[in-house]
Amino acid sequence: MRNGTSRMAVSIALVVAATHAVAAEPGAQRDTLYRHIDPRVGTGNDDQGDTVPGPTRPGGSIHPSPETLVGSNAGYDKDAPVSGFAQLHTQGSGGRTTYGTFLVSPQTGDPVFDETQHLSPKADERLAADAYGVTLTRYGIRAEVTPAPYAAMYRFSYPTGKPATMVFDITRKIRGELASAGADVTLDPARGRITARVRARSYWNPAEVDIWFVAQLDRKPTRWGVRVGEQDRAGATQASAGADTRLAGWWQFDAKPGTPVQMKVAVSFTSAERAGELLAEDIPDWNYDAVRRGAQADWNRELARATIDGVGDADKRRFYTALYHSAIQPRDRTRDQPPADRATPHWDDYYTLWDTYHTGFPLMTLLRPTAYRGNVASIVRTFERFGAAHTAFIAGRNYHVGQGGDEVDNVLGEGLIRGVPGVDWNRAAAVALHNAHEERRPRYLIDGWFAVGDRSPEPDNQRARSGSSTPAFALNDFYAGRLAAVAGQPDEAAALLKRSGNWRNVWNAGATSDGYSGFIIPRHADGRFQTIDPKTGWDGKKYENVGFYEGTAWVYSYTMLHDLPGMVAAMGGRDRFIQRLRHALDTNLIDITNEPSFATPWLFSDVGRPDLASYWANRIFQRFTPDAYPGDEDNGAMSSHYVFNRLGLFPKLTTDLYYLHAPHQPHAVITGEDGKRFAITARDWAPDKIYIASATLNGRPLTTPFVRQADITGGGELVLTVSATPTRWGQ
């Protein structure tokens, strides 16, 4: 892996080359785990990840990264010229772009405000978890940045002979689009400080939100000014701009050869004052290397929670980079609140829980249960403050998207079932019970299904569909019922458990496809099933369905994870279920790397065929290439999927179990926050040995293809004997 300076790049290359030499020293390995992270992975478009190349801290509020005007939703294309460095980004999200906020553009000569006119080719680009560096060849400027949790520190090496210039674009977002409902900027030349605010709009979340920015230079500028619309006001120190009007500030300063210009920045969703306070708290001095060492320490700690051994550097690079991506979002903004609120955790930027409840949050229960507890507390606080806590919570604002159901219930329910400690489950239950009675669609509450033509929860969002939302609401009801039970409401729990069978209201036993009968089919308000081919729908690029969100009848007929016996029976029993699932997977009727189908291949284990689950786990594993994810990384959903698959585990939602399949390395260790270690050993491992032949858990024979949450969190050892050919283990 490579870092922000040439000397560090050489040093890191030597350390990575010596990784195997320190294999006998676990402590030494853990101290250098961050060097395996390669932020290039996933930086392609939405078929490859949409990840961000810039560095951040685990759950970091700020995420500085280079910007290009073409490329992925992350705002970056590795082959495109750079326009500058923005301070906020999403991690692996598709759809409408968000953030790319507060662009800093280092230049020479007179300030240039149009991004298309100050694009620079790049050279010597160095990406790492702790820093990013690049040379902007148009200007001969070397730019580097390293992150703290809420602030970042930049270092710019300017050439001699031209004025050193810096432009701050206040009102833009990803791809240089104007995204402002009003903005203001203030320059303080005597202090070398700039403060700005934008009321951001046209983000993925349609809510408008105020965001503040403070930047501190390590010297006084010699010239400065502002730009409002097309008007340049040299020498001005304050300006405001109305909606849909561009606003920028700029300054010039002396730059001495061999002495980099340093700048510290912080962003706040609370106030300009809080941005300044966070800047002082996170980076009190001008020690760039100290900030960088803090990032290294944070990532070493996070990566040590799940380690692999017995494979080469390429495998470690891929694994630890996925683990890195899994820990970036949601973002911990607890300290970015008014003083009275800072005792309550505040986690932000859920894009969205529809994605992350499948894998991201289950992984968090194992590796970062304290963070899970904080997320639950944050969700509860959001509900108590705003009267709702929705599937997307972005920049401190709810957004009730129409992707599926009310996935907040799933996150709360999974945390309860998997035993996340320290949660007030009575308060959490209130959130889910509100959703169960107020946020489900009226027809679902009365007739038991979400009908074709019903409006989705958000008035401007028509993506929810009868065939996907009805099973989703039924799953939500299951989790809400579990929460009601723990809150001492048995009658409510029983009613919700009964209501969780509502998926049957959109099950059309007469629908057929490829010789199989019985499918989830969208239903009209008058009770008629829609006349559609069960194969018609989402093809990964466009909608042709009318009844499903990112899926088809084939996809959604396998999503009743809370009622597997009912689902198997509805498909004709165990043997027919196995035959049908094999056909669905063999003929690519299941999009195995899209969220609705994440768990589908592992259903083989529920009907006594873990050999087929292992086969498909390996097929899925191969879809993750050395440099890309098989689709949007989706804020930790896809990277957590990879981490689980690599370890030989996969979460069995609605239970405290994990499916087992053959791991992709001979040895792995999961270390809990309390220091308890769970080792997974594959004897005589080889890449082609993808099946489990036998297993022991803590020395005792294990004959079922599952382990419990407590088996892992309690510490111990799972020893697997693996095989290159299918076996009858677990059947």
Side-chain angles (χ1 to χ4, degrees):
M1 295 304 96
R2 296 176 288 182
N3 285 273
T5 66
S6 299
R7 286 185 299 172
M8 284 301 293
V10 173
S11 173
I12 289 173
L14 291 173
V15 172
V16 172
T19 296
H20 289 295
V22 298
E25 301 174 32
Q29 277 189 305
R30 286 195 297 270
D31 289 344
T32 58
L33 288 174
Y34 80 93
R35 301 179 190 271
H36 290 294
I37 295 171
D38 186 352
R40 287 180 182 80
V41 175
T43 54
N45 60 25
D46 57 9
D47 290 327
Q48 300 171 308
D50 273 334
T51 59
V52 178
T56 188
R57 297 285 184 104
S61 179
I62 199 169
H63 197 158
S65 194
E67 290 285 315
T68 63
L69 293 184
V70 296
S72 74
N73 272 24
Y76 175 81
D77 184 308
K78 65 181 178 62
D79 298 317
V82 172
S83 66
F85 306 89
Q87 316 313 312
L88 296 171
H89 292 87
T90 62
Q91 177 66 33
S93 61
R96 180 178 291 184
T97 57
T98 296
Y99 294 139
T101 315
F102 300 129
L103 184 82
V104 176
S105 171
Q107 306 172 10
T108 58
D110 292 337
V112 177
F113 303 99
D114 185 339
E115 277 191 66
T116 63
Q117 300 302 309
H118 63 68
L119 292 169
S120 174
K122 63 188 184 216
D124 197 19
E125 188 178 34
R126 300 173 183 268
L127 298 83
D130 60 328
Y132 171 89
V134 69
T135 297
L136 304 177
T137 57
R138 175 176 185 157
Y139 301 108
I141 298 170
R142 182 67 184 172
E144 301 166 287
V145 61
T146 187
Y150 294 83
M153 189 167 182
Y154 286 87
R155 191 161 64 183
F156 301 104
S157 298
Y158 282 84
T160 58
K162 292 184 177 180
T165 305
M166 201 174 294
V167 170
F168 300 87
D169 191 327
I170 310 303
T171 53
R172 57 94 70 187
K173 71 165 187 172
I174 296 294
R175 302 193 185 113
E177 297 175 12
L178 177 60
S180 170
D184 49 66
V185 62
T186 300
L187 286 83
D188 185 347
R191 298 176 63 195
R193 196 175 185 93
I194 181 171
T195 303
R197 174 199 64 92
V198 64
R199 188 163 185 81
R201 65 159 44 155
S202 302
Y203 283 3
W204 200 83
N205 183 346
E208 295 180 355
V209 58
D210 288 310
I211 313 175
W212 289 266
F213 165 87
V214 170
Q216 178 67 55
L217 201 64
D218 70 346
R219 63 200 67 198
K220 295 180 180 180
T222 55
R223 294 182 64 224
W224 53 85
V226 297
R227 172 91 162 192
V228 182
E230 298 300 317
Q231 184 182 27
D232 189 6
R233 303 176 184 174
T237 58
Q238 282 188 310
S240 296
D244 302 318
T245 302
R246 293 191 178 275
L247 179 66
W250 62 272
W251 54 29
Q252 289 181 339
F253 39 81
D254 293 327
K256 300 177 181 178
T259 304
V261 174
Q262 297 188 104
M263 184 178 70
K264 301 182 288 190
V265 303
V267 174
S268 171
F269 293 80
T270 299
S271 66
E273 291 76 16
R274 188 58 189 149
E277 292 166 356
L278 290 168
L279 187 65
E281 291 170 11
D282 274 14
I283 311 179
D285 51 29
W286 293 99
N287 192 333
Y288 181 94
D289 291 333
V291 178
R292 189 172 183 175
R293 286 193 298 270
Q296 295 168 1
D298 278 0
W299 284 115
N300 282 334
R301 183 190 66 251
E302 288 298 321
L303 301 183
R305 302 185 194 280
T307 58
I308 62 172
D309 204 1
V311 290
D313 286 343
D315 289 279
K316 291 180 178 179
R317 164 189 176 269
R318 194 65 187 83
F319 174 75
Y320 290 113
T321 301
L323 194 57
Y324 160 80
H325 283 145
S326 76
I328 290 176
Q329 279 184 227
R331 300 190 184 276
D332 184 358
R333 294 195 166 117
T334 302
R335 288 168 48 214
D336 185 12
Q337 299 185 94
D341 296 332
R342 290 175 203 159
T344 301
H346 173 47
W347 289 76
D348 200 1
D349 285 357
Y350 296 145
Y351 285 85
T352 66
L353 299 182
W354 182 82
D355 302 278
T356 53
Y357 87 85
H358 295 273
T359 52
F361 277 93
L363 185 64
M364 198 185 295
T365 68
L366 293 177
L367 306 186
R368 299 183 293 142
T370 299
Y372 203 120
R373 181 180 68 205
N375 275 269
V376 172
S378 181
I379 288 169
V380 170
R381 178 63 176 276
T382 297
F383 168 72
E384 293 175 348
R385 173 174 291 180
F386 299 116
H390 288 153
T391 302
F393 188 76
I394 298 168
R397 299 291 187 273
N398 272 311
Y399 181 27
H400 202 169
V401 294
Q403 293 172 296
D406 298 309
E407 281 77 24
V408 165
D409 300 359
N410 304 1
V411 171
L412 299 176
E414 280 293 309
L416 170 68
I417 291 168
R418 297 193 179 278
V420 173
V423 174
D424 185 338
W425 292 113
N426 287 323
R427 292 174 68 193
V431 181
L433 292 175
H434 166 84
N435 289 340
H437 296 298
E438 302 296 335
E439 299 290 342
R440 311 281 196 263
R441 294 303 84 205
R443 193 181 314 281
Y444 179 84
L445 296 176
I446 297 169
D447 296 333
W449 73 87
F450 185 101
V452 175
D454 283 349
R455 295 182 67 83
S456 65
E458 191 73 15
D460 67 346
N461 190 330
Q462 293 298 300
R463 291 186 295 174
R465 312 295 187 196
S466 174
S468 50
S469 288
T470 303
F473 286 147
L475 177 62
N476 301 154
D477 286 341
F478 169 83
Y479 283 117
R482 292 296 297 268
L483 287 155
V486 79
Q489 302 182 48
D491 293 342
E492 185 74 66
L496 287 167
L497 180 61
K498 181 179 179 180
R499 210 171 80 181
S500 73
N502 276 349
W503 64 270
R504 297 176 184 276
N505 292 330
V506 289
W507 184 267
N508 185 354
T512 61
S513 180
D514 289 3
Y516 297 94
S517 61
F519 288 90
I520 292 287
I521 297 293
R523 194 172 181 184
H524 292 283
D526 62 7
R528 291 177 300 112
F529 285 107
Q530 210 167 39
T531 303
I532 62 169
D533 182 343
K535 294 180 182 179
T536 300
W538 173 250
D539 66 357
K541 292 292 184 183
K542 61 185 177 181
Y543 292 100
E544 294 178 347
N545 45 45
V546 301
F548 302 95
Y549 179 73
E550 289 192 9
T552 65
W554 273 94
V555 166
Y556 276 95
S557 293
Y558 291 102
T559 59
M560 286 68 75
L561 302 179
H562 63 293
D563 189 7
L564 294 182
M567 182 172 66
V568 172
M571 292 188 189
R574 174 184 180 274
D575 292 343
R576 188 65 167 166
F577 181 86
I578 293 171
Q579 182 186 53
R580 173 171 166 161
L581 183 52
R582 294 185 74 168
H583 170 78
L585 292 167
D586 288 340
T587 57
N588 296 316
L589 292 172
I590 303 297
D591 186 355
I592 55 178
T593 57
N594 199 30
E595 285 81 356
S597 299
F598 270 10
T600 301
W602 278 270
L603 297 177
F604 282 121
S605 290
D606 290 298
V607 290
R609 290 301 303 271
D611 58 316
L612 294 175
S614 280
Y615 170 81
W616 279 100
N618 186 62
R619 286 280 298 270
I620 296 166
F621 184 75
Q622 293 170 359
R623 294 278 299 275
F624 291 80
T625 67
D627 295 311
Y629 293 94
D632 291 335
E633 194 273 334
D634 283 323
N635 304 277
M638 197 72 79
S639 56
S640 298
H641 189 304
Y642 179 89
V643 170
F644 273 127
N645 197 321
R646 176 115 223 171
L647 293 174
L649 304 170
F650 202 79
K652 179 174 165 54
L653 298 182
T654 75
T655 77
D656 67 344
L657 300 175
Y658 292 88
Y659 296 106
L660 294 179
H661 60 266
H664 297 279
Q665 61 282 318
H667 191 65
V669 176
I670 295 172
T671 304
E673 290 179 330
D674 59 1
K676 292 180 180 178
R677 292 160 53 89
F678 182 76
I680 304 172
T681 300
R683 288 178 173 167
D684 300 321
W685 176 86
D688 64 337
K689 293 185 176 182
I690 65 171
Y691 301 99
I692 299 174
S694 65
T696 63
L697 179 62
N698 298 328
R700 298 176 180 176
L702 181 66
T703 58
T704 57
F706 311 100
V707 293
R708 293 193 174 279
Q709 182 92 12
D711 294 330
I712 300 173
T713 58
E717 184 177 25
L718 175 68
V719 178
L720 307 171
T721 300
V722 291
S723 169
T725 57
T727 74
R728 292 191 58 79
W729 175 82
Q731 296 188 26

